Amino acid sequence: MKRRILQLIDSFDQGGSERQAVELTRLLHASGAFEVRLACLKPDGVLRSEVDQLGLGEVPCYELRSFYDANALAQLRRFVRYLRREKIDLLHTHDFYTNIFGMTAGLLAGVKVRIASRRETSGMRSPGQQRVQHLAYSFAHHILANSESVRRKLRDEGVNPNRISVVYNGLKLERVTSTVTNSRAQILSSLGIAPKNPANQFVTIVANMRHDVKDYPMFLRAAQRVSAVLPEVGFLLAGEGELQDSIRQLAAELGIADKTFLLGRSEDIAGLLSVSDVCVLSSKAEGFSNSILEYMAAARPVVATDVGGAREAVAEGETGYLVPSGNDQLLAQRIVSLLQDPARAQVMGEQGRRVVEAKFSTRALLENTEALYERLLADRIGRDRRVLRESGTLPNSRATVPGHEDRGANKSEPGAVATG
């Protein structure tokens, strides 16, 4: 009988973590190796329609206002009951909020295998939030990191390295491959841009505007420098969030408001990247950027800050350039060099696409995740057998572990796995 796995995601918004979780759910469901379930903390978002098309059945929602009120306790109890009733064998959570809520419920419900996730290195959580998340990690059997830099950060925080695995983000290449034959001018018009010269070059950044860790001010300072050298260049900023007004105001202060286009959430990422000549990420910190993979998959040269897992994707001088965080002068220089040498930019972009196809495909994501699931489930079954033999309740190796071959009630665990 197939093992039941549950993916718990925060919401269906179009963020990096949410998109990766939805894509993984789709891949696992299509593979058929496991019986896949999905649950969430918020029921809405642009990705919800994609999930509904999968035919997963009920997607229970456990909405939270806070971790510290009566509603949180009631939702936790509901989720524990669901995990027990559905006899979930493996629970996988994908971000800060689902790690805390899901790992706590998984421990209480006695879920056989519990996997938390980490997708950033620093800059996103307060010291108090970091302490709470570390406690949640102690309730997990394993932690999945999306880059080697995140693995190192977890190890430095005291997590046993044996409990950490790296599985890189996987990109669905079709997402950034445009099948529409619209001209550059038509695509720009669809984005709300009607420049006098449709052959103008564009520098693009795709990043949310909710956290200052994305450092849009660095991007805009570099844009000002680029504009001083190449005044016909425009700057496309795709993202949404509460920082939009301050970003727009800073562009005006820097004198580049007429060349800076805040596009909001991009519904047509393939079209956007097809009109982009150079793509940038200016973050102060990252785990492993989905935007960088999208740039490379669209065969665009990348200039990114050397943070998180950026250098695990971007090969310096081959698929793009890496610059120190905060160094807008060098960022501008690298952008200008690529804009002034389109042939070299094209070669870098094409090499970047080959790297994504080889290393960061959805096929690799699925294969590596399924292998991890199988290993952890097998390890747990082996531990159960050893415990039963030592207790004298398993007379021979041919006997089965209660609740393994059949789906009896889940047994409570003796305790959480502690961090190393």
Side-chain angles (χ1 to χ4, degrees), residues 271-297:
L272 170 64
L273 296 181
S274 74
V275 299
S276 303
D277 298 279
V278 177
C279 293
V280 174
L281 198 68
S282 53
S283 298
K284 300 175 184 177
E286 285 282 351
F288 192 84
S289 169
N290 287 315
S291 292
I292 287 179
L293 293 188
E294 290 175 344
Y295 301 161
M296 293 170 63

Side-chain angles (χ1 to χ4, degrees), residues 168-170 288 293 311-313 353-365 368:
Y168 286 113
N169 294 352
F288 192 84
L293 293 188
R311 64 175 48 248
E312 296 171 47
R353 181 174 175 86
R354 287 192 287 271
V355 169
V356 171
E357 290 174 339
K359 190 174 181 181
F360 304 109
S361 66
T362 53
R363 177 184 57 79
L365 171 64
N368 292 331

Side-chain angles (χ1 to χ4, degrees), residues 55 78 103 132 136 192 300 304 307 310 329 344 377 398 412 414:
R78 283 185 59 225
M103 291 300 102
V132 174
R300 293 295 176 262
V307 297
Q329 181 176 3
R344 181 160 57 96
L377 286 165
R398 296 175 63 86
S412 296

